Amino acid sequence: MYKIVRKEILNPSVKLMEIEAPYVAKKAEPGQFIIFRIDEAGERIPLTIADFNREKGTVTIIFQEVGKTTKRLGQLAEGDEILDFVGPLGVASHFEGLKKWLSLAEGLVLLLHIIRQKNYIALA
């Protein structure tokens, strides 16, 4: 089980959750994703890793409540648990020579990671 350690409502349909997932946080790289399942009866849903903190062992996801499962996820509170949180999956983004075009979301994740690694800002 994976504990929700922080929940933030960004707007009525968009939520941010920080999930306690030490293995995923340890291996995560910008551009990767996870697949979660709330409970045994739930469907598997992929979400991009928005941020990760290796020291705290947490992974941050941001999602919009558009279907049954993301609406159920949005109803969970801090302290609640998710059954499955599998990852990191996918190929990490690499930007040698800046030759690759990145989606806006993936680009923002990369920028956040670089800023945090260079200690330009401290993130809570």
Side-chain angles (χ1 to χ4, degrees):
M1 300 290 276
Y2 299 87
K3 185 177 181 179
I4 300 168
V5 295
R6 180 170 70 108
K7 178 181 178 181
E8 196 173 319
I9 299 171
L10 303 180
N11 72 39
S13 66
V14 178
K15 309 292 189 292
L16 176 150
M17 287 185 174
E18 189 173 351
I19 311 295
E20 192 174 79
Y23 175 77
V24 178
K26 180 180 177 182
K27 302 287 186 179
E29 294 294 336
Q32 293 185 302
F33 66 98
I34 57 91
I35 293 180
F36 77 91
R37 190 169 60 140
I38 296 174
D39 57 28
E40 288 287 339
E43 63 182 330
R44 296 167 24 117
I45 301 290
L47 290 174
T48 299
I49 295 172
D51 194 16
F52 52 90
N53 184 317
R54 289 187 173 94
E55 291 77 31
K56 288 172 46 180
T58 60
V59 174
T60 302
I61 55 174
I62 299 173
F63 60 94
Q64 183 173 8
E65 297 176 352
V66 292
K68 179 181 174 182
T69 300
T70 52
K71 286 178 183 176
R72 284 189 58 213
L73 181 62
Q75 292 172 350
L76 298 178
E78 290 180 8
D80 289 342
E81 294 182 334
I82 297 169
L83 177 64
D84 294 325
F85 197 83
V86 179
L89 302 168
V91 177
S93 297
H94 299 285
F95 45 94
E96 297 88 22
L98 299 176
K99 292 181 180 178
K100 292 185 179 179
W101 289 93
L102 302 173
S103 69
L104 177 59
E106 189 171 321
L108 290 174
V109 170
L110 281 169
L111 181 60
L112 180 62
H113 178 72
I114 291 167
I115 289 170
R116 188 178 68 209
Q117 292 299 319
K118 299 291 184 185
N119 292 318
Y120 292 129
I121 60 172
L123 300 174

